Amino acid sequence: MNIELIGNIVGLILAHSAYIGSGQDGELMVPYVIFQSGESRELQNFEADTQQQAVDLAHETIEKYQHLVDVWAYAQEGLVTLGDGSKQDVYLIKAWGQGLSEPIQLYQMFQPKPFKLIGNIKMLNFEDAGFRLEQAEAFHSALDAGITSHQKANEKWEGWFE
């Protein structure tokens, strides 16, 4: 498993989602996937009549191409329920690379209007996906490098946090 490659693509898709969200003026982001093989990356957007149709189409595409790529990352908008029962906007992210037993699942809370990122990214299944706790620091460093690699998002990154 290439923890740097997986962390990098998670950071890149997080940065790209924030970049999209910062210009959406409260509109819903279209689900999308970044596929990577070697140094080649391909981004695919999934527009449909409903958000659920777009999500389903994205997951069908991931299943179709997963065995052909080194790594992929997927992002969509969603909601999580907080401890007080209120709903919070989030970017839901899944990523997979060779050697993982299942895709890693993460979310980043945000405020759509005015756009702000809230807190740190949350990992839901780090160990279940196949990572070991001692790899967390390397994953975080790779994630930060992925964020930095998105030049336009990186320029605004710190200003997006509350």
Side-chain angles (χ1 to χ4, degrees), residues 16 28 113:
H16 192 63
L28 196 61
K113 206 173 175 183

Side-chain angles (χ1 to χ4, degrees), residues 20 25 29 31-32 35 44 47 64 70-71 78 85 87 89 99 106 110 112 139 144 149 152:
I20 292 168
D25 201 28
M29 180 181 76
Y32 70 100
F35 292 106
Q44 290 187 26
E47 294 186 51
K64 182 177 178 181
D70 297 328
V71 64
K87 302 286 186 186
D89 290 298
L106 315 97
F110 73 96
F139 180 81
D144 287 343
S149 73
K152 291 182 179 186

Side-chain angles (χ1 to χ4, degrees), residues 1-12 36-41 69-73 95-98 131 138-139 142-143 146:
M1 160 190 352
N2 187 334
I3 197 161
E4 289 80 21
L5 183 61
I6 298 166
N8 265 265
I9 201 161
V10 167
L12 176 63
Q36 183 171 335
S37 294
E39 297 299 311
S40 175
R41 284 188 186 139
V69 299
D70 297 328
V71 64
W72 58 261
W96 176 88
Q98 301 287 335
F131 291 108
F139 180 81
L143 187 144

Side-chain angles (χ1 to χ4, degrees), residues 70-118:
D70 297 328
V71 64
W72 58 261
Y74 164 80
Q76 74 175 78
E77 283 188 34
L79 294 170
V80 294
T81 304
L82 302 178
D84 65 3
S86 64
K87 302 286 186 186
Q88 174 62 57
D89 290 298
V90 294
Y91 294 120
L92 298 169
I93 297 171
K94 292 181 185 177
W96 176 88
Q98 301 287 335
L100 285 184
S101 55
E102 63 185 52
I104 186 168
Q105 298 178 44
L106 315 97
Y107 69 90
Q108 171 66 56
M109 294 187 294
F110 73 96
Q111 172 185 302
K113 206 173 175 183
F115 183 79
K116 290 282 182 197
L117 295 171
I118 303 168

